[in-house]
């Protein structure tokens, strides 16, 4: 990699333009290898929310996906349409390729902030390394939105970088460029509010570059107005809709401020990921690298974060030391001058990191910063040491980080491909236009688009409920008198089902008990945690050949029916204080699939108490 990073400019002219087409497609291919998206948020709201928006269900249903039912669904509309109309593999390839477009924007940004003598191939590898970080790969092709909105944030950064000299001269055209950059970032913030730290970081970077002047103030105001306009375009309609229905544009978040009667007066800020003390705050990149679950549910090894943090600290210390030295007391400095656009990127990164850590400290919200870490390491190393040594250290640091990300990467949940992206065994419902379904299982809102659209869905127990919320739920329930049903959690014996599927596959391929193939399968199963408890099925004394089949010993079998009956009974008891109950004898277990991955739920009839809640 060092040789590639040090490749001279005249040796890199042979890079084919086809790379700009093929590399995004490569991310689409990698998305196919990972499989169909099946993350928790998709199951909860990424499929339901666009369905509710497109079919006008905001006033019909009540929080079937919990508080996430009221997150802006605009970003999920394209995926919803594709999932319902296109083959699953094509959807995954499109999503992965779309995320791969980040490489093109990152490449354009990298080539403008690195030292002038950096080769074209080195620029390409730095940009590619930025798209191979653990967080970016973990979300490749999925619907969580961080990779998708990163395109808008990087687009704003690139727009400023491309026109940096014109922005410095000021004028109307410079203002329009800043408005356009702010617009791009604002669109991303409106689609996903967790991009707000990047808008703040970019504003601060624009404000801190150069001497204070009316020109710089105008640039900042132009950028800020663009951000507000972008947010209005992608989220203004949603804020207005939430205000109309609930009296809180961010419902149910920040309800301590807006005081909507339909939710508790709480802020709903997720603070469990924030640094716990001063030392964690100072050394946070080392903390979440040593303990990956400290900043996200999925463990991701982030080698570049502490590396860049250390390099940046060394650079600050060295710069402070040099400023204290008398003029002429030191040798000629070895670092190359830092261009203003490079300084702009570094300030953006530092400011965004500070806001992110103070507000979220959640790893997947830092994907844009993660993508900039390789080029940041490259730039700082060129300030700290000689060019040859800087490139050698950068090659090792970035190469090891990328290798570790690819070898140890995890995802937020995927499934194998099937004929349909989603399929649900929908139970029959009489008079759906006059019936209500209580959603008492989570995350199960993804199955609701497959039910009759005339139904109304109401969630109980997964929302910060207030008295006003319950009164609204009660009005929906009482207003539909034909039928009351409930979606209730269910369990399945996944281990037994896996063993049965394997036995059926072996039988279908003619593998017989006693064959070498059967013995090899049994040997392999003993080394697989999910299947190691299986034992061969013994023939019933009949002569002749018997299929190669396995089963769980009786001591390890689960009585799934009894477990599901107990779950339904517990749920029914929890509804008593609301004047509701489940008709337990009507509960049936239904199957639903995300790709090839099975999920189960119980569908029960429910009853209203003639006396209502106590």
């Amino acid at each position: 990699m060092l040789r590639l990073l040090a490749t001279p400019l005249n040796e890199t002219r042979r890079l084919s333009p086809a790379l700009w087409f093929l590399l995004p497609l490569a991310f689409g291919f990698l998305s196919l290898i990972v499989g169909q998206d099946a993350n928790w948020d998709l199951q909860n709201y990424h499929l339901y929310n666009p369905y509710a928006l497109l079919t006008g269900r905001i006033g019909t249903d009540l929080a079937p996906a919990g508080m996430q039912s009221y997150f802006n669904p605009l970003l999920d509309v394209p995926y919803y349409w594709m999932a319902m109309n296109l083959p699953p593999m094509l959807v995954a390839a499109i999503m992965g390729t779309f995320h791969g477009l980040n490489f093109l924007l990152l490449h354009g940004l990298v080539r403008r902030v690195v030292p002038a003598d950096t080769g074209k191939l080195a620029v390409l590898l730095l940009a590619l390394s930025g798209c191979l970080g653990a967080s970016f790969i973990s979300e490749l092709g999925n619907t969580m939105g961080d990779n998708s909105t990163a395109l808008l944030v990087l687009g704003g950064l690139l727009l400023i970088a491309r026109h940096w000299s014109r922005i410095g001269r000021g004028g109307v055209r410079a203002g329009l460029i800043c408005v356009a950059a702010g617009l791009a970032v604002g669109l991303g913030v409106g689609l996903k509010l967790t991009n707000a730290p990047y808008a703040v970081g970019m504003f601060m970077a624009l404000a801190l570059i150069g001497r204070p002047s009316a020109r710089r103030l105008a640039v900042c105001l132009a950028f800020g107005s663009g951000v507000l306009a972008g947010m209005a375009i992608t989220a203004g309609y949603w804020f207005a809709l939430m205000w109309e229905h609930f009296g809180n544009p961010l419902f149910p978040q920040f309800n301590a401020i807006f005081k909507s009667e339909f939710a508790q007066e709480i802020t709903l800020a997720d603070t469990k990921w924030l640094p716990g003390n001063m030392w964690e705050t100072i050394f946070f990149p080392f903390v979440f690298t040593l303990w990956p679950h400290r900043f996200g549910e999925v463990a991701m090894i982030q080698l570049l974060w502490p590396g860049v943090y250390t390099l940046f600290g060394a650079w600050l210390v060295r710069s402070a030391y040099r400023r204290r030295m008398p003029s002429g007391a030191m040798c000629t400095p070895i670092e190359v001058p830092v261009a203003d656009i490079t300084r702009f990127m570094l300030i953006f990164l530092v400011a965004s990191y500070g806001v992110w850590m103070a507000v979220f400290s959640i790893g997947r919200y830092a994907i844009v910063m993660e993508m900039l870490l390789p080029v940041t390491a490259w730039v700082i190393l060129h300030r700290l040491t000689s060019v040859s040594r800087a490139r050698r250290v950068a090659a090792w640091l970035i190469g090891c980080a990328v290798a570790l990300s690819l070898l140890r990467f995890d995802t937020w949940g995927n499934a194998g491909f099937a004929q349909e992206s989603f399929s649900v065994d929908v139970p029959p419902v009489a008079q759906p236009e006059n019936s209500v379904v209580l959603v008492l299982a989570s995350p199960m809102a993804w199955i609701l688009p497959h039910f009759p659209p005339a139904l109304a869905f109401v969630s109980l127990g997964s929302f910060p409920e207030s008295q006003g919320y319950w009164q609204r739920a009660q009005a929906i329930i009482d207003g539909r008198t034909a039928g009351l049903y409930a979606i209730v959690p269910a369990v399945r014996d996944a281990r037994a089902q896996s063993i049965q599927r394997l036995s059926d596959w072996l039988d279908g391929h003619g593998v017989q008990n006693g064959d070498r193939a059967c013995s090899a399968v049994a040997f392999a199963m003993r080394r697989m945690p999910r299947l190691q408890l299986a034992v061969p099925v013994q023939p019933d004394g009949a002569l002749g050949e018997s299929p190669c089949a396995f089963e769980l010993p009786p001591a390890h079998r689960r009585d799934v029916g009894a477990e599901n009956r107990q779950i339904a009974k517990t749920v029914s008891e929890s509804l008593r204080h609301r004047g509701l109950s489940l008709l337990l004898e009507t509960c049936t277990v239904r199957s639903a699939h995300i790709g090839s991955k099975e999920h189960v739920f119980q569908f029960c009839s429910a009853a209203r108490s003639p006396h209502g809640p106590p």
Side-chain angles (χ1 to χ4, degrees), residues 2 117 204 249 251 377 412 417 454 461 468:
L2 174 61
D117 61 343
M204 292 180 66
F251 184 79
W412 295 87
F417 293 106

Side-chain angles (χ1 to χ4, degrees), residues 161-217:
R162 289 189 62 180
H163 301 280
W164 183 256
S165 59
R166 183 174 293 277
I167 292 174
R169 293 194 297 269
V172 175
R173 190 167 182 181
L176 292 176
I177 293 169
C178 290
V179 169
L183 183 69
V185 178
L187 293 173
V189 175
L191 290 173
K192 188 161 186 177
L193 294 177
T194 54
N195 288 307
Y198 301 124
V200 176
M202 213 173 299
F203 182 90
M204 292 180 66
L206 285 170
L208 295 175
I209 294 296
R211 296 179 179 178
S213 64
R215 180 184 301 171
R216 193 171 70 177
L217 178 61

Side-chain angles (χ1 to χ4, degrees), residues 353-434:
Y353 171 79
V355 177
W356 166 84
M357 185 172 59
V359 178
F360 305 120
S361 298
I362 297 175
R364 61 191 180 93
Y365 298 160
I367 279 179
V368 171
M369 290 183 283
E370 177 190 90
M371 295 168 74
L372 295 174
L373 292 181
V375 65
T376 303
W378 181 269
V379 168
I380 295 177
L381 278 167
H382 278 72
R383 294 285 292 172
L384 289 175
T385 186
S386 64
V387 172
S388 61
R389 185 178 299 170
R391 295 183 178 182
R392 183 163 58 250
V393 174
W396 279 103
L397 177 59
I398 298 171
C400 290
V402 169
L404 194 60
S405 295
L406 295 177
L407 292 174
R408 292 288 307 273
F409 86 91
D410 201 355
T411 71
W412 295 87
N414 291 88
F417 293 106
Q419 288 188 335
E420 296 179 300
S421 295
F422 305 94
S423 60
V424 181
D425 177 17
V426 179
V429 177
Q431 301 183 47
E433 69 283 352
N434 199 24

Side-chain angles (χ1 to χ4, degrees), residues 264-277:
Q264 297 176 23
E265 293 186 4
I266 54 179
T267 59
L268 291 178
D270 190 357
T271 60
K272 66 180 179 181
W273 308 103
L274 297 177
N277 52 53

Side-chain angles (χ1 to χ4, degrees), residues 7-359:
T7 303
L9 286 169
N10 60 358
E11 293 295 325
T12 59
R13 293 172 183 168
R14 293 173 294 181
L15 292 177
S16 171
L19 279 173
W20 318 124
F21 176 76
L22 294 176
L23 280 173
L25 288 180
F27 283 97
F29 180 72
L30 181 56
S31 178
L32 287 174
I33 295 175
V34 172
Q36 180 177 331
D37 180 26
N39 74 82
W40 192 95
D41 287 348
L42 170 67
Q43 297 175 43
N44 190 42
Y45 72 97
H46 284 310
L47 201 68
Y48 168 78
N49 284 12
Y51 164 71
L53 174 68
L54 296 175
T55 55
R57 306 191 62 84
I58 305 301
T60 302
D61 298 342
L62 188 59
M67 63 168 286
Q68 290 89 353
S69 304
Y70 303 109
F71 287 2
N72 186 358
L74 189 59
L75 183 61
D76 296 318
V77 169
Y79 177 84
Y80 172 79
W81 183 89
M82 290 190 295
M84 295 302 176
N85 294 280
L86 300 179
M89 294 184 70
L90 179 58
V91 175
I94 291 173
M95 290 293 290
T97 302
F98 180 65
H99 291 168
L101 295 177
N102 279 288
F103 162 77
L104 301 181
L105 297 175
L106 189 58
H107 180 272
L109 181 63
V110 169
R111 62 192 290 251
R112 286 169 172 83
V113 299
V114 295
D117 61 343
T118 303
K120 293 181 181 178
L121 189 55
V123 170
L124 184 147
L125 290 175
L126 288 171
L128 184 60
S129 300
C131 294
L132 294 177
S135 297
F136 185 89
I137 294 297
S138 75
E139 291 195 34
L140 184 64
N142 84 2
T143 56
M144 297 175 80
D146 302 292
N147 284 2
S148 299
T149 55
L151 287 163
L152 293 166
V153 178
L154 289 177
L157 278 172
L158 180 58
L159 194 58
I160 290 175
R162 289 189 62 180
H163 301 280
W164 183 256
S165 59
R166 183 174 293 277
I167 292 174
R169 293 194 297 269
V172 175
R173 190 167 182 181
L176 292 176
I177 293 169
C178 290
V179 169
L183 183 69
V185 178
L187 293 173
V189 175
L191 290 173
K192 188 161 186 177
L193 294 177
T194 54
N195 288 307
Y198 301 124
V200 176
M202 213 173 299
F203 182 90
M204 292 180 66
L206 285 170
L208 295 175
I209 294 296
R211 296 179 179 178
S213 64
R215 180 184 301 171
R216 193 171 70 177
L217 178 61
V219 163
C220 293
L221 290 176
F223 175 81
S225 63
V227 171
L228 294 177
M231 291 180 63
I233 291 171
T234 52
Y237 81 101
W238 188 252
F239 293 159
L241 197 61
M242 293 298 98
W243 182 266
E244 176 187 354
H245 283 276
F246 303 107
N248 177 352
L250 299 172
F251 184 79
Q253 300 178 97
F254 303 104
N255 205 46
I257 299 173
F258 295 101
K259 301 186 184 303
S260 168
E261 63 177 309
F262 301 110
Q264 297 176 23
E265 293 186 4
I266 54 179
T267 59
L268 291 178
D270 190 357
T271 60
K272 66 180 179 181
W273 308 103
L274 297 177
N277 52 53
M278 180 187 69
W279 294 111
E280 278 201 352
T281 301
I282 296 173
F283 298 106
F284 197 51
F286 298 91
V287 172
F288 62 68
T289 298
L290 293 173
W291 298 280
H293 283 295
R294 187 63 184 76
F295 84 145
E297 295 91 344
V298 173
M300 292 175 285
I301 307 300
Q302 302 280 355
L303 186 60
L304 268 180
W305 274 102
V308 171
Y309 196 77
T310 301
L311 291 174
F312 195 84
W315 182 30
L316 291 180
V317 170
R318 187 175 185 275
S319 298
Y321 176 74
R322 291 182 62 85
R323 283 196 296 269
R324 291 176 62 89
M325 293 295 294
S327 177
M330 295 190 66
C331 299
T332 303
I334 57 175
E335 68 264 18
V336 294
V338 176
D340 280 349
I341 184 56
T342 305
R343 196 174 285 114
F344 166 83
M345 185 202 71
L346 295 175
I347 295 175
F348 163 77
L349 188 61
V350 172
S352 299
Y353 171 79
V355 177
W356 166 84
M357 185 172 59
V359 178

Side-chain angles (χ1 to χ4, degrees), residues 533-553:
L533 295 175
V535 296
V537 175
Q538 300 299 327
D540 298 331
L543 298 177
E545 296 181 339
S546 61
C548 178
F550 300 88
E551 63 182 358
L552 277 175

